[in-house]
Structure formats: structure tokens, C-alpha cells
Amino acid sequence: MKTPLLIYGAGGLGRELLSLIHALENFEVIGFLDDNISRDTVVKGVRVIGGAEVLRTFDKPVNVVLAFGDPSSKAAKAASIPHNLVRYPHVIHPRAVLQDAGSIKIGAGTILCAGAVLTTDIIVGDHTLINLNCTVGHDSRIGSYCSLMPGVHVSGEVLIGNEVLIGAGATILNQREIGDKAKIAMGSVVIRNVDAGLLVAGVPAQPMVSRPHTKFQS
């Protein structure tokens, strides 16, 4: 019997997550939660049943996975939902590889997409997205509420804080530290430590000055 599951977020990542879950045998998506899409809207054959208020209508905690690419939005949403209302299972695509699974710890609500490869002695926190074709090397630590976009490569012994966004195709060299809420622009190569809250870009990655009305591209 499959475990009922709600996806919080019916946007692009939510639809990708739905297709991921269709590849699994242990979960069945029973609806989307979304605060910005009208109730009863049908997305990819699945109905939007409402926003966070719906969680209080269940007679026991319900399984939820958060489909938010932006780390701060993801952390804020998790903080707004009382823990007694939900359970957060991790979701792992069957074509993700945990090379030494017994030595790898995956947090609650974390998502591993197809092609992700984690080698050995790795810890990943809660609600972290490791997207398509990412690799994570030995003895690395990735915090909670992070998002690694497609094709990110994390070398060995890397320490990544909480709410970190790493853009598509970026590479982190071994033994580097990335502080909380840092942002690594797409295609960057990180050869030095990155301080908390800093945006870096380029090859090698350098600190960037944020410009008004400029959206970070992941």
C-alpha cells in the first residue's frame, strides 16, 4: 500500500517532484498545497486542495514534501507549519545513487533527483534539494533548506551551511566552506571559502555586489 503524500507548491518544481514521485512505488500524491493557486485547480492531473490551513482538517499528521527552490522561502514555509500537523519523508529517485548508503544520512523532507550521486560519509540536512545530475563527494556536510540546482558538483570534505543556493553547473572544490544563506551563481567554480550571506559568481568565483531589480539566476 502506497503512503499518501501532499506536495506543497504546484509550480515548476512541484510538477517535477510529481513526476519524480510517479517513479516511486512507496508514495501516492493525493493533492497539491499552494497558497497562490485557486483551490480545485488541476495541475498535471492532481488537484490543488488549498493552502496550509488544509493541514488542520486531517485527523492525523499528513506526509508533506516542500517544493520550493528558493531556500529562504522553503525555510519560512517549514517554520510556519506546526510540526504536529505534518511528517516530512525524504524523497529519493530510483536513479539517484547512494554509493555507500550505510554511511550517508539524509534529513527529513530532503529530495534527491535522478542522476544525483553521493559517495560516502556524507550528511545532508532537512528539506535540501539535490537536483538532477549533482554529485557530492566524501565527507561533505550539507545543511538544511539548501538547493543545489542541476549539474552541481561538490567535491570531498566540503562544508555547506543552511539556506544555501548553488546555481546550475557550479563546482565547489574540496575542503571549502560555504556559509549560511550564501548564493553561488550558475557555472561558478568556488576555489575559496564563501562567507555567510555572500553572493559569488565567476571562474574562479568572486564576491558580487547585488544590484537593485536584478534577479539571481540559478
Side-chain angles (χ1 to χ4, degrees):
M1 183 176 177
K2 292 188 176 184
T3 301
L5 180 71
L6 292 169
I7 298 175
Y8 208 132
L13 180 57
R15 289 183 280 115
E16 288 186 337
L17 186 53
L18 176 63
S19 68
L20 187 164
I21 293 167
H22 283 162
L24 303 177
E25 297 181 353
N26 54 332
F27 293 115
E28 177 184 10
V29 176
I30 60 172
F32 281 110
L33 298 170
D34 200 293
D35 301 306
N36 301 308
I37 297 178
S38 300
R39 184 192 296 264
D40 294 327
T41 299
V42 176
V43 178
K44 303 290 284 187
V46 176
R47 188 168 65 93
V48 176
I49 64 172
E53 74 286 349
V54 172
L55 296 171
R56 298 186 181 277
T57 68
F58 290 87
D59 58 5
K60 60 182 179 180
V62 62
N63 293 290
V64 174
V65 63
L66 302 178
F68 296 88
D70 177 68
S72 60
S73 298
K74 186 162 40 177
K77 182 56 64 180
S80 73
I81 299 173
H83 291 297
N84 64 310
L85 301 181
V86 295
R87 292 187 296 260
Y88 294 114
H90 56 240
V91 178
I92 301 176
H93 193 281
R95 293 205 307 275
V97 176
L98 277 62
Q99 190 166 287
D100 183 13
S103 74
I104 298 171
K105 297 180 180 179
I106 305 295
T110 282
I111 301 164
L112 303 185
C113 296
V117 178
L118 284 66
T119 60
T120 189
D121 299 306
I122 292 165
I123 297 174
V124 182
D126 298 338
H127 302 291
T128 282
L129 169 65
I130 299 182
N131 218 311
L132 300 164
N133 299 321
C134 291
T135 62
V136 181
H138 66 90
D139 300 292
S140 288
R141 304 290 183 265
I142 301 175
S144 297
Y145 307 106
C146 297
S147 288
L148 280 60
M149 296 307 178
V152 166
H153 298 298
V154 177
S155 301
E157 301 178 81
V158 172
L159 301 179
I160 297 174
N162 298 314
E163 296 183 49
V164 173
L165 178 61
I166 305 181
T171 298
I172 317 298
L173 269 62
N174 62 303
Q175 299 182 335
R176 299 306 182 261
E177 296 186 18
I178 312 297
D180 293 347
K181 299 186 178 182
K183 293 181 173 65
I184 313 299
M186 62 186 300
S188 299
V189 176
V190 175
I191 66 171
R192 303 180 184 87
N193 294 345
V194 178
D195 292 339
L198 199 62
L199 165 63
V200 300
V203 181
Q206 302 288 342
M208 302 291 290
V209 177
S210 298
R211 298 179 181 178
H213 311 300
T214 298
K215 184 178 180 181
F216 171 72
Q217 298 295 315
S218 60

